[in-house]
Amino acid sequence: MTHGRQAADEHRDGPRVEPTDDELVRRAAGGDHASFRALTHRHARSLYALALSLVGSAADAEDVVQETFVGAYRGLGRFEGRSSVRTWLMRIAMRQAARWRERRPPPAVPLEALGESGDPVAPRQGPAALADVDRRIDVQALLRRIGAEHREVLVLREIDGRSYDEIAGILEIPRGTVQSRLFRARAELRELLKDMAKHERP
Amino acid sequence: MPEEEKGNTVCPSESELSAYYDGELQGRRAEEIAEHVRDCAACQRILRELGEMSSMIGAGPATEMPADALRRLDRRVADLPAMRLWRLGVALSGLAAAVLVAAAPRAIRVWRESGTRTETAATASPQPNAGWEATALADASGGREWTGWVVSDLVKGSAQGAGGERKGQGVR
């Protein structure tokens, strides 16, 4: 849409309202390439953050995001609106990340190395069983040590802040499975952190 | 795992506690757990650990998509073929696949006939009947049997030298 036409629309209809995701998808499926690009701009950053947590490297995350939008473009005609566009895109991104991990499994990072990264980190908080992990931790490397299924739910919940119902929709699993998988993921993370604490002790 | 009893309530499972921590339990059960947790040091410790882990993961590195990555994505999306061309491509691919599938039985028959002519009476194996191709393609066990025939013939073909080459021509 040109600026002139935008201005004309605003003049006629009042302030221009951004089209919804569903509207953009509908237009894109009808051949409006600009609408698909707008959809890309709207969701690229959040999908990149998700992909980065899942695959661990910036270059791989970029590839996952690109393949996600190519996959979405291919599937435009099949999108039925049963889930939100964002959920649909996240579902494609999760699949792409899983394929990426199969093709390029991340190198195993030794426990001792998890705290040696220069990346931003989480300081210890509070006196609990995890208190011994008293140093800066490379969160991405830590997540890479967790099993793929567990990492997916952890990332969706803890980083992306999704509800159980949303996670169930994205991963296409029952809500009860989300709860149990998340519990096991946290147990795995806790064990990992305790192992780290053991490694740190002199 | 907290399994002790506090007052009149038993500790919830860790899975349930995890869901409670996430605010995913509602109604009476959420109230019961809240009441229980107030007096239960074990459950309080687990909830504190869950909070620590959330802080730890949430404090990961900044995940802003770099500007050059955004530009590359935009270029990739801009280069995607127009939807009409894309659909045409998909349709043509489908058509090509359909033609291949339709032509396959005849191509196989020609190839089989060509191979049969090279066999001697002494080395000949039992031959499939005229309708074997359809059966072989129709069910999986037939498919495996067919694969066995092909392997068997290829082995014979390579042993027979010229015969193998003629089979190759038959495939083409």
Side-chain angles (χ1 to χ4, degrees):
Chain A
M1 188 181 287
T2 63
H3 290 296
R5 193 170 150 199
Q6 277 177 19
D9 285 349
E10 285 179 22
H11 181 71
R12 190 174 57 245
D13 304 326
R16 193 168 67 95
V17 178
E18 286 292 318
T20 62
D21 283 350
D22 287 289
E23 182 61 22
L24 288 176
V25 165
R26 196 185 59 74
R27 289 184 199 168
D32 180 4
H33 212 76
S35 287
F36 189 73
R37 286 177 78 180
L39 194 72
T40 306
H41 296 160
R42 189 176 288 179
H43 292 282
R45 289 175 184 82
S46 62
L47 289 177
Y48 176 83
L50 177 71
L52 187 58
S53 300
L54 291 169
V55 297
S57 93
D60 289 349
E62 183 181 340
D63 285 335
V64 166
V65 173
Q66 287 198 9
E67 293 310 314
T68 296
F69 283 109
V70 172
Y73 190 73
R74 283 188 189 133
L76 275 174
R78 294 192 298 276
F79 179 72
E80 294 170 348
R82 281 183 293 190
S83 61
S84 71
V85 171
R86 177 165 168 71
T87 296
W88 174 60
L89 289 172
M90 287 177 79
R91 195 179 296 148
I92 299 171
M94 301 298 287
R95 283 196 206 120
Q96 290 295 341
R99 277 184 204 154
W100 209 258
R101 284 195 305 267
E102 278 169 23
R103 283 202 296 262
R104 302 177 60 179
V109 182
L111 277 177
E112 310 84 70
L114 288 179
E116 292 167 4
S117 156
D119 288 339
V121 284
R124 173 171 71 88
Q125 295 175 3
L130 308 181
D132 287 332
V133 186
D134 188 12
R135 61 176 182 173
R136 295 162 72 81
I137 293 168
D138 179 350
V139 176
Q140 294 298 342
L142 185 68
L143 286 172
R144 280 203 295 278
R145 287 188 66 95
I146 294 175
E149 279 190 348
H150 291 171
R151 192 184 327 158
E152 285 176 353
V153 289
L154 265 183
V155 166
L156 288 170
R157 175 67 208 169
E158 300 284 9
I159 295 180
D160 217 54
R162 300 282 125 198
S163 70
Y164 284 16
D165 284 336
E166 287 172 316
I167 296 172
I170 291 164
L171 297 178
E172 296 179 295
I173 55 177
R175 184 190 152 92
T177 305
V178 173
Q179 178 177 326
S180 57
R181 203 177 278 183
L182 196 49
F183 154 66
R184 287 198 300 272
R186 284 166 165 160
E188 187 180 349
L189 179 62
R190 187 190 298 123
E191 287 308 307
L192 200 56
L193 290 167
K194 285 180 180 169
D195 283 349
M196 281 178 66
K198 278 184 209 158
H199 274 82
E200 285 177 356
R201 288 191 195 114
Chain B
M1 185 177 289
E3 289 170 351
E4 55 206 292
E5 204 168 314
K6 295 285 168 191
N8 291 328
T9 59
V10 177
C11 289
S13 68
E14 282 199 50
S15 170
E16 204 172 21
L17 210 50
S18 167
Y20 170 77
Y21 168 76
D22 286 325
E24 293 280 349
L25 292 182
Q26 278 95 37
R28 184 73 197 122
R29 187 59 187 144
E31 288 168 21
E32 283 170 3
I33 292 179
E35 200 173 316
H36 170 86
V37 164
R38 265 196 294 277
D39 297 324
C40 179
C43 288
Q44 286 172 10
R45 184 179 59 83
I46 289 173
L47 289 174
R48 201 162 50 239
E49 283 182 3
L50 291 174
E52 286 175 8
M53 286 193 284
S54 292
S55 306
M56 194 177 287
I57 296 174
T63 50
E64 190 64 27
M65 189 169 185
D68 54 345
L70 269 171
R71 273 195 298 277
R72 283 191 290 272
L73 172 64
D74 192 46
R75 208 175 309 136
R76 177 95 189 266
V77 168
D79 287 345
L80 286 170
M83 191 47 74
R84 267 190 223 117
L85 286 177
W86 188 288
R87 285 188 181 140
L88 185 64
V90 171
L92 286 176
S93 306
L95 188 64
V99 168
L100 275 176
V101 168
R106 180 163 175 75
I108 292 167
R109 188 163 52 241
V110 169
W111 173 55
R112 284 285 311 143
E113 284 166 359
S114 161
T116 305
R117 282 198 297 275
T118 66
E119 292 181 349
T120 64
T123 58
S125 305
Q127 294 301 304
N129 60 34
W132 75 273
E133 301 92 336
T135 311
L137 288 171
D139 75 64
S141 60
R144 278 197 294 277
E145 190 181 332
W146 173 78
T147 308
W149 280 102
V150 172
V151 172
S152 155
D153 277 4
L154 285 174
V155 171
K156 278 183 226 152
S158 61
Q160 289 165 2
E165 283 174 25
R166 280 165 64 183
K167 278 174 193 160
Q169 286 160 7
V171 171
R172 276 200 302 272

